[in-house]
Amino acid sequence: MSNDASEGFATKDYILSRDALAALNKDNLIVNAYGNDNISFLNRFKAVDGGVVVKEKLYKYYMGKIEVSHDAASSITALRVRAFSPRDAHEINRRLLVQAETLVNQLNGRARSDVIEYANKELEEAKALARTAALALSDYRNREGVVDPEQQATVQLQMISKLQDEMIATQTQLVQLRAFTPQNPQIPVLQSRVQALSREIDKQTGLVAGNQKSLAVTAAQFQRLQLESQLADRQLGAAISSLQEARNEARRKRAYVERIVEPSTPDYPAEPRRLRGILSTFVVGLVVFAVLSMLVSGIKEHRD
């Protein structure tokens, strides 16, 4: 079977785990396959205590019958099962492949879920931050009675400039009247107008700068709140993009188990190798016989 490198090692560890054995032996498949009476008592699984299977002994026996090799370069995992009948070997192999597929699907689903969940959490936090910043800016505008201090300051400065121009024109006219017609009745009127214009200029200037409620002071607080709102909006946009990227990445990166070769049923048993066993027994018997003969000869010589 073929899979991703990290999932391949995880699959190998799982197949050789006690959890895999427990799932495999739910219907006593392993106990029946390796512990039935048709198997030689020398090879049969016998670890039963009072009718209850000893799990640790079963696991050690299981480890001797399962071989898993993983090639990191090709990401191919090979599974070999040894059993006393072709049907049992095929069924154990098939079930282990199904369990491995289920494991990889769970790992894959969990990884995708975690990535998307984290991106959703960031998005919710960004939404809350943007909402708080927008409300703070709106409350400040309502409390201070300003929409944009900079724009209002521009309007105020334009008004002050017009008042100054008007006051200069009035003062010029007043100087001319005093120079040429000192007794002109318009002089007191122009003097009063100059004073009124001066007071209005001072008033409008105070609204722009010079006191705690001026637009200059208001603009500093407004700019801070506006900057916080803009940063929160950018963070919200980034969080939306991150969520979309996480979803796209989850769609692209899907780990899976691909069966390259289906479990096969052997045509003939690979074990036991009877001829090799007979020869090995014969050789060992000769060695034992030679050793015993030497011991017996040594004892006889010692007695003599």
Side-chain angles (χ1 to χ4, degrees):
M1 55 185 173
S2 176
N3 44 25
D4 184 75
S6 59
E7 277 76 13
F9 288 112
T11 300
K12 177 181 177 181
D13 291 342
Y14 172 75
I15 291 175
L16 299 177
S17 70
R18 290 172 174 80
D19 289 343
L21 174 59
L24 194 62
N25 195 47
K26 280 186 176 180
D27 56 353
N28 290 325
L29 173 64
I30 299 298
V31 174
N32 293 333
Y34 295 110
N36 64 77
D37 296 335
N38 296 327
I39 302 172
S40 168
F41 73 95
L42 295 176
N43 300 316
R44 185 191 311 158
F45 172 69
K46 303 178 291 293
V48 178
D49 185 9
V52 179
V53 176
V54 180
K55 293 182 179 179
E56 191 61 28
K57 292 183 179 180
L58 179 61
Y59 176 70
K60 290 180 179 179
Y61 189 93
Y62 168 80
M63 291 293 288
K65 300 300 181 183
I66 305 296
E67 296 179 12
V68 184
S69 59
H70 178 70
D71 185 359
S74 61
S75 296
I76 294 177
T77 302
L79 171 62
R80 184 169 182 261
V81 178
R82 298 166 57 201
F84 296 100
S85 74
R87 182 181 60 82
D88 290 337
H90 181 274
E91 181 62 16
I92 293 170
N93 197 312
R94 186 192 67 80
R95 289 195 188 185
L96 285 175
L97 287 179
V98 172
Q99 291 174 207
E101 290 175 0
T102 302
L103 171 69
V104 171
N105 289 335
Q106 289 176 349
L107 293 175
N108 189 26
R110 177 66 179 273
R112 294 200 310 269
S113 176
D114 287 347
V115 170
I116 295 176
E117 182 180 354
Y118 180 75
N120 274 321
K121 184 178 179 181
E122 282 191 332
L123 178 59
E124 293 302 320
E125 291 176 353
K127 284 181 179 179
L129 184 62
R131 189 181 303 110
T132 301
L135 288 175
L137 184 60
S138 177
D139 291 343
Y140 184 78
R141 281 171 169 165
N142 294 330
R143 185 173 63 253
E144 299 296 332
V146 294
V147 177
D148 189 334
E150 292 184 356
Q151 294 182 357
Q152 289 185 236
T154 301
V155 174
Q156 294 295 123
L157 291 173
Q158 290 175 352
M159 183 181 298
I160 292 171
S161 178
K162 290 180 180 179
L163 291 173
Q164 288 176 339
D165 290 342
E166 187 176 351
M167 188 175 70
I168 291 172
T170 304
Q171 287 176 336
T172 301
Q173 186 179 2
L174 180 60
V175 170
Q176 290 175 351
L177 288 177
R178 283 177 176 173
F180 297 105
T181 56
Q183 303 300 324
N184 194 314
Q186 289 294 324
I187 291 177
V189 176
L190 293 176
Q191 288 177 340
S192 298
R193 184 168 181 77
V194 169
Q195 293 174 357
L197 289 171
S198 179
R199 287 194 299 270
E200 186 62 25
I201 289 172
D202 291 339
K203 178 182 176 182
Q204 296 300 326
T205 302
L207 293 176
V208 176
N211 57 59
Q212 294 298 321
K213 294 185 178 181
S214 64
L215 291 175
V217 175
T218 304
Q221 181 70 3
F222 177 84
Q223 289 174 352
R224 183 182 67 80
L225 294 173
Q226 189 177 44
L227 179 60
E228 290 179 355
S229 179
Q230 291 173 351
L231 290 175
D233 289 340
R234 291 173 186 169
Q235 186 173 347
L236 177 59
I240 294 174
S241 299
S242 296
L243 177 59
Q244 187 60 42
E245 290 177 3
R247 287 174 176 170
N248 294 336
E249 191 72 13
R251 294 189 189 100
R252 287 195 299 268
K253 289 188 175 181
R254 288 180 178 269
Y256 58 92
V257 174
E258 181 67 27
R259 298 189 188 184
I260 299 176
V261 178
E262 290 291 334
S264 59
T265 303
D267 296 328
Y268 59 89
E271 297 178 1
R273 299 176 181 177
R274 291 182 176 85
L275 180 59
R276 187 178 69 176
I278 293 171
L279 291 176
S280 298
T281 303
F282 179 72
V283 171
V284 171
L286 289 178
V287 172
V288 171
F289 177 76
V291 171
L292 291 175
S293 297
M294 291 177 63
L295 289 174
V296 171
S297 300
I299 292 171
K300 287 181 178 180
E301 289 177 1
H302 182 71
R303 286 179 178 177
D304 294 340

